[in-house]
Amino acid sequence: MRHAVEGAPAVEFEAVTFSPGTVPLFQSLHLTVPKAACTVFMGPSGSGKSTLLRLGAGLIPPASGQVLYRGIDWYDLSDHDNAVIRESLGFAFQNGALWANKSVYQNIELPYQYHRPKADRQEVRDAVARAARMAGIQAQLGQRPSQLSLGEQKLVSLARALVMDPEVLFLDDPTASLDAQATEKQLLLFQDLKRQGRTLILVTQDPIVTARIADRLVLMKTGTILVEGTFAEVTRNPDPEVIAILTSVLSQAATFSGDILDLLSIDHDGGDALK
């Protein structure tokens, strides 16, 4: 039985190459994502953010190189060890990725069916109720995905990601299609998970989400990592290309102005993040 390596980063990409088609997207990509922190992948559409997230979670294999999850190569594991290691992570999909023929409750409990099929039913009910409460969808447990809005479907995907009480959460644009109230609730949840020492790895284009919870930023462009570092390091990087992409992605404005820096100065817990 393989175990996570003590002290290892959450995810390491070592010389990773990946080609979704005939043209390579990543070529010899290197990146280390630390544990017990929130790392945000940002960049224009098509830069490879969601693909990198899926690679990190072991959902798709690289063409070459290694993807290490907590010090273990995803593709150096037996099926049994892979399933056991995977219990420690949750993945919330951008489009929800729900089973249309199952209720919300049944969708949330799916990780239990896969990882712990013999678990006590009361344990499962309690876990589903807790995850639904955290995601704010307690009232929808008996409904089918077709009865939900896109935002509600994303919340179900989040609850499913949370149900096994994971140490590492992969979140693909988690607040898109949510109203302001639901977004604020998710931000408070993510901040609480950070305080508990959980690792959050997410894709987002939302400047408020980024300013409130990001410890580290990875800025991407067409399959390459343009710059990565702490929140303050990246948002104050003087490189014109970095400034242009931050401006486009975070503000949709024409220039990287003081207004954007003011927005990005919101502390993750209420103070000034850049001072």
Side-chain angles (χ1 to χ4, degrees):
M1 172 63 199
R2 299 288 298 276
H3 297 279
V5 177
E6 186 70 27
V11 182
E12 296 169 273
F13 301 88
E14 297 184 351
V16 166
T17 298
F18 180 79
S19 302
T22 57
V23 179
L25 175 61
F26 301 129
Q27 298 190 69
S28 195
L29 181 142
H30 291 265
L31 177 67
T32 297
V33 179
K35 66 177 183 178
C38 176
T39 299
V40 171
F41 298 161
M42 292 193 308
S45 178
S47 59
K49 306 179 298 295
S50 293
T51 300
L52 192 62
L53 198 71
R54 286 172 168 80
L55 282 164
L59 299 182
I60 52 176
S64 62
Q66 288 184 304
V67 180
L68 305 180
Y69 173 75
R70 302 172 69 199
I72 302 173
D73 188 337
W74 274 124
Y75 300 96
D76 189 29
L77 290 170
S78 67
D79 289 345
H80 175 266
D81 286 356
N82 186 296
V84 172
I85 293 293
R86 195 168 289 282
E87 279 194 51
S88 69
L89 71 83
F91 195 107
F93 292 86
Q94 185 177 32
N95 63 356
L98 306 179
W99 288 71
N101 63 341
K102 294 182 180 293
S103 69
V104 168
Y105 181 98
Q106 291 169 327
N107 270 279
I108 296 173
E109 75 169 350
L110 281 172
Y112 262 93
Q113 292 186 2
Y114 179 72
H115 293 293
R116 302 182 197 171
K118 297 181 181 180
D120 178 76
R121 294 312 300 169
Q122 188 60 51
E123 175 190 343
V124 177
R125 285 191 290 270
D126 290 345
V128 171
R130 176 185 58 82
R133 183 172 61 255
M134 293 170 74
I137 53 167
Q138 308 96 305
Q140 285 80 29
L141 287 175
Q143 296 180 329
R144 294 293 178 95
S146 61
Q147 299 173 282
L148 306 178
S149 68
L150 178 58
E152 288 171 329
Q153 291 180 34
K154 291 174 71 72
L155 292 175
V156 176
S157 186
L158 174 62
R160 184 176 58 195
L162 291 166
V163 74
M164 300 293 291
D165 198 23
E167 297 177 36
V168 181
L169 269 171
F170 294 84
L171 306 166
D172 196 350
D173 213 0
T175 59
S177 303
L178 300 185
D179 60 28
Q181 183 177 6
T183 296
E184 177 63 22
K185 183 169 183 177
Q186 296 316 304
L187 285 171
L188 293 173
L189 169 62
F190 297 152
Q191 288 173 329
D192 186 51
L193 291 169
K194 283 180 57 180
R195 283 190 288 269
Q196 295 174 25
R198 311 300 174 93
T199 300
L200 277 62
I201 307 171
L202 68 150
V203 170
T204 186
Q205 308 286 63
D206 189 320
I208 299 296
V209 173
T210 302
R212 290 271 294 275
I213 67 172
D215 298 307
R216 298 186 66 83
L217 301 182
V218 178
L219 197 61
M220 302 177 65
K221 179 182 178 183
T222 57
T224 62
I225 296 175
L226 189 61
V227 63
E228 61 102 4
T230 67
F231 181 88
E233 289 169 347
V234 174
T235 56
R236 293 203 180 278
N237 191 301
D239 186 319
E241 191 170 21
V242 172
I243 291 172
I245 291 178
L246 282 172
T247 299
S248 174
V249 171
L250 293 179
S251 72
Q252 302 301 309
T255 59
F256 192 72
S257 65
D259 291 339
I260 304 304
L261 284 178
D262 288 344
L263 176 63
L264 291 173
S265 295
I266 301 171
D267 179 54
H268 307 171
D269 294 307
D272 190 335
L274 301 182
K275 293 182 181 178

